[in-house]
Structures are given as C-alpha cells and as structure tokens.
Amino acid sequence: MIDGSIGMACKCSVERRSVIYCNNLREFCFDRERRKSNRKNLRNVSTIPIFKWSFSRWRSVFGKSCILSMDVREKSRSTLFESSKHKRVPLYVMMPIDSFGIGTSGTPRIRKIKALTISLKALKLAELFKLVSEMGLKLQVALSFHSNVHLSSRVQGVSLPQWIIEIGRHNKDIYYRDQNGFPNADYLTLGVDNLPLFSGRTALHCYEDFIPSFASKFDSLMGTIIEEVCVGLGPSGELRYPAHPFQDGRWQFPGIGAFQCYDKMEDLRSVAWQEGKPDWANKGPPNVGDYNSFPTDVPFFEEGDGNFLSDYGHFFLEWYSDRLLRHADDILGVAANLLGKYQDHEQNSVRMVAKIGLLYWWYQTISHPAKLTAGYYNTAFRDGYDPLTSMLSRHKVALQMSCFEMLDNETPQTFLCSPEGLLQQIRTASKKRVVELTRRNAHERFDEAGLKQIHSNCYDSQEEAVRSFTYFRMNDKIFRVENWNNFVPFVRRMSTDL
C-alpha cells in the first residue's frame, strides 16, 4: 500500500467545528521581479467567452478512450445541488505544514504541540474558530500522494514512501522528466499508472490500495465528522504536470514552464502510429524554450509553422492534456466507488474534492503557454476546462481552485496576467457542468483589500456562493495585531447570511 498523508485545518464559522486538511501541500511561490524582453509580438487578447476549434477535420486522437460529454447526465443532475445563494460559506484555515511528522518508531506524531495548543486556544477565545463541538471535531481530509519536502527549507515536509524512493533510485522513469532529462521526484509520473513497477503492482493499484484502507478506517466518521475529502491527483495534490518546479531554481515566475513528457512515452508512440504519423511518436514539441522563457522567445507558442495551432501542435496538446484527464478519471473513479455512498446522504453527506492549479500569467496571450505546459489545453480558441469539469461532474466531484484573493490590477501587467478572467472562465465551465466549487487563496493576505476580494468572490451576486473556502495557512502572522484586526471582521462576514 502506498503511503498517503492527512493533515489539519480549522474550520471557522458560527457552527462549532474544526477541520483536518492536507499537511504536505507544495505551493507556487511567485517571484514578481520583472524581466526586460522584446514583447512586440505578444498579443494582448481579452478572454473569449465562446471558444471555437477550427481543426474540425481532426477527430479525437483517442477515439473511444477520450472523456465523453456529460450533457445528458448533467440534465438529470441539474437539481442535485440546491442553490447556495445567500448562504454562509464555511471557512477553513489550513494548519502549519510541519504540524505532523513520523517518529523514530515509524508512527505519526504531532510536532510543536505546545505552540499549536496556544494558537488553537487563541482562536477559540476569539469566538471565531469553533474548534470543538458537542459531537467532536469536524474534519476536512486530503488524501495526498505527493511529496512536499521541497516546500520550504525551514520546515520538515513529508516525502514519498521510502520504498518508492528506493525504486526511484534504480529507475528514474517512475518520475516525470523534462526535455533535458531532469526528473521531478515529488509525484509519480502518470506514465507508470499501468506499469507493474512497484513490487508487481502498478501506480494505480497503489492508489487503489490506500483509498479503501482510508474509507474502512474512518467509516464511522464519514458524514458526521468528516465533511470533505480532497483526493490528490498530482504535484501539490493538484491535477497538473510539474511544469513549474520552483524548489530547485529551475523555474521562476513568470516563466512559461516546460513540458513533462520525456519519461515513459510508449502511449505517445502508440497514438502517433495509430494516426499514421510515426514521425510524431518519439518526441515532444520542438522550439518550446525552457522553464523561464517568455512566449515571444518561443516559436511553438507564437504564430508560424509547427506552432501550437498546427496539426502537430493540436495532436500533441490533445494527447498531453487527455492523458492527464485519464489519470484523474481513473483515480476519482476508484474514490467515487468507495466514497459515493457518503455523497448522497441528505443530512450527513461528504463532499469529494479535486484541486487544480491556477496559472494566470500569460493568460491574455493567444496560446496561454503556462497552462499548456501544465497540461490544460486552454487557449484563446479552445476551452480546456470544459472536458475537465465534464469529467468531475461524472464522479460528482467538487473543484477547488486558488487565487481568490487576487485582482488583475495587482498583478504585473507586463506579463499579461488575469486571475480574474481565469476564475470567471472556470466558474462558467463549472456552472455548465453542474460542478460545485470550493476555493482557497494562493498567497497570504491579511490586508483589507485582499480579504474583501476573497469575500466578494465567494459571494458573487450573479453566481451561486462557493461551497467552502480554505484560508492558506495558519501561522503566527494571523495573530499579529495589525492582521488580526482585519481577519476577525473577515471571518464574521464569511459567517453571516447575506
């Protein structure tokens, strides 16, 4: 059985609750230093509300294996989620990354328990974080299959299981690789999902072993104590490729990132041969720059022969993104079969959640390069979030995304950022596919403007309120007077009916 990890967060609301959440989450840390570059060829393109794909002559390169449209299913589920307008949005605060660890005996232990106790008491005394109810704690659980040891050099993270690391020492192909052959050891590549490289078992078998073990162990708590289960699907628990590895200095904001398809390419070879294009079988796209390139430096993301709009570009990007969706489809299918019985309970239901990465830089270009390298086939001409939300809808999985505190005018306009435009696109796709939304912030914000933006996004007057919001992350900064004076009114607003 592959090791997973479960961490903690506190739920803030007028109800008396507290929550467990992921303790090994690796986050993007964005360096906002500006680079000088020739941007004369960059196109500042506004968000296109209706996406069209011009390559109608292309059928799906996967035939029957592609994710199918969910229109029929969605019509039958259109009343599944009752309207959440004018309702309170449950608020969670993620616990410190080093709250938990493994002792010398191999058993879990709580680190810094005295400091943690003091912090929790402070929250309780403020009557904002109701940590203990009459029935006990309320839990928000994340099943994590990734390593977060690179999150920060100042804290102790959780690595992949030692037996996985030992296999990786002899076989680097169990990890993602970039075009230069460098591996990323934070998550197993989806290229080994169906290869029996782990004591005769595949990676999917390992995930399948862990999920029923968790469900069996905590069956009595499901729906009564455990309210949400977030299923890890990639680096930092997010469904994406590790295209922007900041931990070792390879990537810095606002680099476009790099494709991660140079480990196990048998699937690409097979699909290319099926399409009668054997010359597309053994490589990723040429002329894609490196992690820190700008779109103007990279022919593949601009106009011209062999670019992302070409026949080859469409073929590769469809394969790259569809392979990621199939990875999520397989894992969520197992989780839904095991946890589905807790989802439909009228009074004590459990929400299943999947996270995605919010890559908002270069969003106003035609190619959205940071998204393409991460596996989201989303451009100015194609809505890459429709097939994603369609797959989530089929499994009745809610979608969690970050950047809820961000405004377009607070981002470096030189890099054609638009977190607001991106959020609106995903919100529209989720509404179409009847997918619930849960949110979180990407960066610590204690200022009044940032907290106000979070509240505004959670309670959009034109949309249904989100199902929950997780504040990232509890630490000593929250309790500083200047921050606490803003945070207290924020929690009160989030706990008040509109």
Side-chain angles (χ1 to χ4, degrees):
M1 182 182 74
I2 192 169
D3 294 352
S5 64
I6 301 174
M8 295 192 72
C10 297
K11 182 174 183 181
C12 322
S13 73
V14 293
E15 300 174 359
R16 300 176 62 83
R17 299 178 180 178
S18 57
V19 191
I20 287 188
Y21 200 70
C22 174
N23 75 311
N24 64 340
L25 183 68
R26 181 172 63 85
E27 292 298 317
F28 283 123
C29 296
F30 301 139
D31 177 9
R32 294 190 173 226
E33 293 183 0
R34 298 173 179 267
R35 280 179 52 182
K36 293 182 179 180
S37 176
N38 175 19
R39 299 179 178 80
K40 64 182 180 180
N41 294 322
L42 271 181
R43 297 192 172 189
N44 193 326
V45 181
S46 60
T47 303
I48 299 177
I50 301 178
F51 294 78
K52 297 181 179 179
W53 181 244
S54 60
F55 293 94
S56 58
R57 65 184 183 276
W58 271 92
R59 63 180 176 84
S60 169
V61 298
F62 297 102
K64 296 181 179 179
S65 67
C66 71
I67 306 300
L68 299 177
S69 171
M70 297 306 303
D71 289 332
V72 175
R73 292 187 180 93
E74 285 147 12
K75 289 179 182 178
S76 66
R77 295 185 58 228
S78 60
T79 59
L80 178 63
F81 305 130
E82 64 174 339
S83 174
S84 61
K85 286 184 178 179
H86 313 301
K87 291 190 175 182
R88 301 168 184 169
V89 175
L91 177 66
Y92 301 82
V93 177
M94 195 177 298
M95 298 292 280
I97 191 68
D98 57 347
S99 296
F100 300 93
I102 304 298
T104 55
S105 63
T107 58
R109 65 182 180 86
I110 299 177
R111 296 192 181 105
K112 303 180 181 178
I113 190 168
K114 291 184 178 180
L116 183 60
T117 300
I118 293 172
S119 297
L120 295 180
K121 285 183 177 179
L123 296 174
K124 185 176 182 179
L125 290 173
E127 295 185 352
L128 297 172
F129 299 74
K130 301 300 183 181
L131 306 178
V132 180
S133 69
E134 295 179 357
M135 300 301 294
L137 297 174
K138 291 289 184 178
L139 310 178
Q140 183 192 58
V141 179
L143 308 181
S144 299
F145 305 111
H146 63 278
S147 166
N148 69 2
V149 294
H150 296 129
L151 178 65
S152 172
S153 59
R154 295 172 295 177
V155 299
Q156 294 178 326
V158 178
S159 68
L160 294 179
Q162 190 60 40
W163 64 275
I164 292 286
I165 294 174
E166 287 297 324
I167 293 174
R169 288 190 180 126
H170 302 286
N171 184 2
K172 298 294 185 183
D173 279 337
I174 69 171
Y175 303 126
Y176 288 106
R177 282 180 180 270
D178 61 22
Q179 61 183 338
N180 297 315
F182 293 113
N184 186 301
D186 288 338
Y187 189 80
L188 296 179
T189 170
L190 53 77
V192 299
D193 276 359
N194 296 295
L195 298 180
L197 302 177
F198 308 97
S199 301
R201 304 197 36 88
T202 68
L204 285 177
H205 286 149
C206 295
Y207 303 136
E208 291 170 4
D209 286 344
F210 179 79
I211 295 173
S213 177
F214 161 79
S216 174
K217 179 69 174 179
F218 298 104
D219 178 73
S220 62
L221 304 181
M222 301 296 286
T224 56
I225 304 300
I226 296 175
E227 297 180 316
E228 289 187 5
V229 176
C230 182
V231 182
L233 298 172
S236 297
E238 299 173 344
L239 177 61
R240 60 176 174 83
Y241 291 94
H244 305 84
F246 69 89
Q247 67 272 10
D248 58 7
R250 273 185 287 170
W251 173 83
Q252 291 184 345
F253 177 81
I256 59 174
F259 290 111
Q260 307 289 311
C261 58
Y262 297 88
D263 36 82
K264 289 291 183 182
M265 301 185 71
E266 285 84 354
D267 187 68
L268 176 59
R269 295 187 185 97
S270 174
V271 173
W273 278 91
Q274 290 175 15
E275 290 298 311
K277 297 290 185 179
D279 53 326
W280 293 351
N282 299 311
K283 60 183 179 180
N287 303 317
V288 291
D290 59 28
Y291 288 103
N292 295 307
S293 295
F294 281 17
T296 45
D297 306 326
V298 182
F300 184 76
F301 299 116
E302 287 293 300
E303 296 184 49
D305 295 336
N307 73 346
F308 75 102
L309 292 173
S310 67
D311 288 352
Y312 167 74
H314 173 53
F315 164 81
F316 174 80
L317 293 172
E318 189 176 68
W319 169 81
Y320 192 66
S321 62
D322 192 89
R323 191 66 187 84
L324 191 67
L325 290 181
R326 286 159 54 194
H327 172 71
D329 195 31
D330 288 339
I331 296 177
L332 293 177
V334 173
N337 287 337
L338 292 166
L339 304 177
K341 64 180 180 180
Y342 307 112
Q343 288 181 287
D344 298 328
H345 195 286
E346 292 184 2
Q347 294 181 337
N348 298 315
S349 63
V350 175
R351 182 178 297 111
M352 201 159 65
V353 180
K355 293 195 298 183
I356 62 171
L358 268 289
L359 299 97
Y360 57 86
W361 53 103
W362 308 120
Y363 183 75
Q364 298 183 68
T365 66
I366 59 173
S367 60
H368 300 187
K371 291 189 168 302
L372 297 185
T373 57
Y376 306 121
Y377 190 3
N378 189 73
T379 70
F381 311 109
R382 186 182 191 275
D383 185 357
Y385 292 101
D386 184 68
L388 190 156
T389 52
S390 177
M391 179 269 295
L392 296 180
S393 176
R394 178 149 57 89
H395 297 301
K396 300 181 183 179
V397 175
L399 176 61
Q400 184 183 97
M401 52 188 184
S402 60
C403 298
F404 243 37
E405 78 285 7
M406 301 184 70
L407 294 165
D408 283 4
N409 61 17
E410 293 179 338
T411 60
Q413 294 305 301
T414 308
F415 308 138
L416 302 179
C417 305
S418 184
E420 293 181 82
L422 176 55
L423 286 173
Q424 185 55 48
Q425 181 188 350
I426 298 174
R427 191 194 293 266
T428 299
S430 299
K431 184 176 181 179
K432 173 185 175 183
R433 298 298 184 181
V434 199
V435 172
E436 289 187 309
L437 295 176
T438 69
R439 308 297 177 90
R440 53 162 293 173
N441 53 312
H443 309 290
E444 289 182 350
R445 292 292 294 269
F446 300 106
D447 61 292
E448 188 174 353
L451 295 175
K452 183 178 179 180
Q453 179 68 5
I454 291 174
H455 181 269
S456 176
N457 276 327
C458 287
Y459 289 98
D460 190 313
S461 61
Q462 303 301 315
E463 303 284 349
E464 291 193 351
V466 300
R467 294 293 164 162
S468 67
F469 181 83
T470 299
Y471 186 86
F472 179 77
R473 162 185 315 266
M474 188 180 80
N475 54 41
D476 60 346
K477 295 179 183 178
I478 288 183
F479 303 102
R480 295 175 185 172
V481 174
E482 64 274 18
N483 295 333
W484 189 249
N485 287 342
N486 289 331
F487 197 67
V488 168
F490 164 70
V491 174
R492 287 175 178 161
R493 286 196 300 271
M494 294 288 283
S495 300
T496 302
D497 291 330
L498 295 186

